Structure formats: structure tokens, C-alpha cells
Amino acid sequence: MNETTAADPGTWIRGITIRQPWTSCILAGKDVENRPAPWSWRGWLLLHAGQATEHAAMRDPLVATALRGGRALPTRAVIGVARLTDCHQDAADAAPCSKWAQPDAFHLVLADVEELALPIPWLRGQLGPWRPPQDLVDQVLLQLPHLAPEATS
């Protein structure tokens, strides 16, 4: 076991469950995830495609553009990782921080997004940040061995 897998995943990585097509849009360049409440967590996130798919969202021009080419929409699986760098709400009189930002929502700002070559089936998830078990993190690290805990200050 290397140093990365020896670190408690609950200290350096979280999971986030997102309905499709939004999870796949993040892999295709969506840089903000909209949530009803702020998050204090910063760092790596497993991107978990939840069970539900918002079929009406498929008609959204942003979604159609991001997913052109017939991208598969896996559900109930971890399909990538991203780094959560900020969480904020745009001021009412300010321009949106991203074309993906919804007014009155808290914006989880995502960076360093990487897609897994093989989705990892995962039946559990929740809308708030959740702590992934070691076996799930180990499966992700098999595909992304460079992923590592960030230094703590």
C-alpha cells in the first residue's frame, strides 16, 4: 500500500452525486455545479452520476453543445474526479461567474477535471459531500494513480 492509499480518504477526498446529464457536462467542460446551500469543503471530489436523469435538460442548448457526439450517460457510477476550488453566490447585480451558473444558487467552482476510462459502478450517493470508502478510492486510483492527497497546512 502506498502513501496515497494509506491516507484516510475521508481526509482528502469527497464524493458528489450529480444527476445526468450534468455529470457528463462537467467532464465536457461545465465548470460550475449549482447547489442550494454553500459547501465548506475544498479539494478533490469523486464525480458520481446518480440514478436519476433529467431528460428535460437534454433540450438545453448548453447541454446539447457539451454532449454533442452522442456521449454515453452512465448512471449509478463514479465517472471522474474534479477539484473543488471555491463556493460562492454571485451578487445580484454582477454578471454570472460562468455560463453554467444559475442565479440564486451557490456555485461550486470545479477545476482539474479528469474522466475515468472505465466508470466504477457505485449504487450509493447523496447530494451533499459524502466520504467515499477506501475500496472505492482504490478503484479510482487504479485509473488515476497520480491523484494524491493535497498537503494540509
Side-chain angles (χ1 to χ4, degrees):
M1 183 179 286
N2 65 36
E3 183 179 315
T4 301
T5 59
D8 174 11
T11 64
W12 71 277
I13 194 165
R14 295 285 191 272
I16 180 174
T17 301
I18 306 167
R19 292 181 180 146
Q20 288 287 26
W22 308 114
T23 324
S24 289
C25 285
I26 291 170
L27 299 178
K30 180 177 185 264
D31 56 352
V32 166
E33 171 60 13
N34 298 289
R35 292 293 159 131
W39 284 25
S40 60
W41 172 258
R42 300 293 181 275
W44 287 108
L45 293 170
L46 301 181
L47 301 175
H48 176 252
Q51 180 177 356
T53 298
E54 291 183 22
H55 295 286
M58 299 299 285
R59 292 187 297 274
D60 182 305
L62 276 176
V63 172
T65 300
L67 300 181
R68 70 177 150 230
R71 176 184 284 270
L73 298 179
T75 59
R76 302 180 82 181
V78 173
I79 63 172
V81 299
R83 185 188 311 268
L84 174 58
T85 61
D86 189 25
C87 177
H88 66 269
Q89 199 170 30
D90 290 336
D93 60 347
C97 65
S98 165
K99 64 184 179 183
W100 297 97
Q102 295 175 350
D104 300 323
F106 286 90
H107 306 142
L108 305 182
V109 180
L110 305 172
D112 304 322
V113 176
E114 292 190 58
E115 184 172 5
L116 295 177
L118 300 170
I120 300 169
W122 191 252
L123 305 181
R124 298 170 294 217
Q126 65 185 48
L127 292 178
W130 47 272
R131 294 175 185 254
Q134 185 66 55
D135 64 323
L136 179 57
V137 173
D138 288 343
Q139 290 179 65
V140 170
L141 292 174
L142 286 173
Q143 295 185 53
L144 302 174
H146 61 280
L147 192 67
E150 296 177 339
T152 56
S153 52

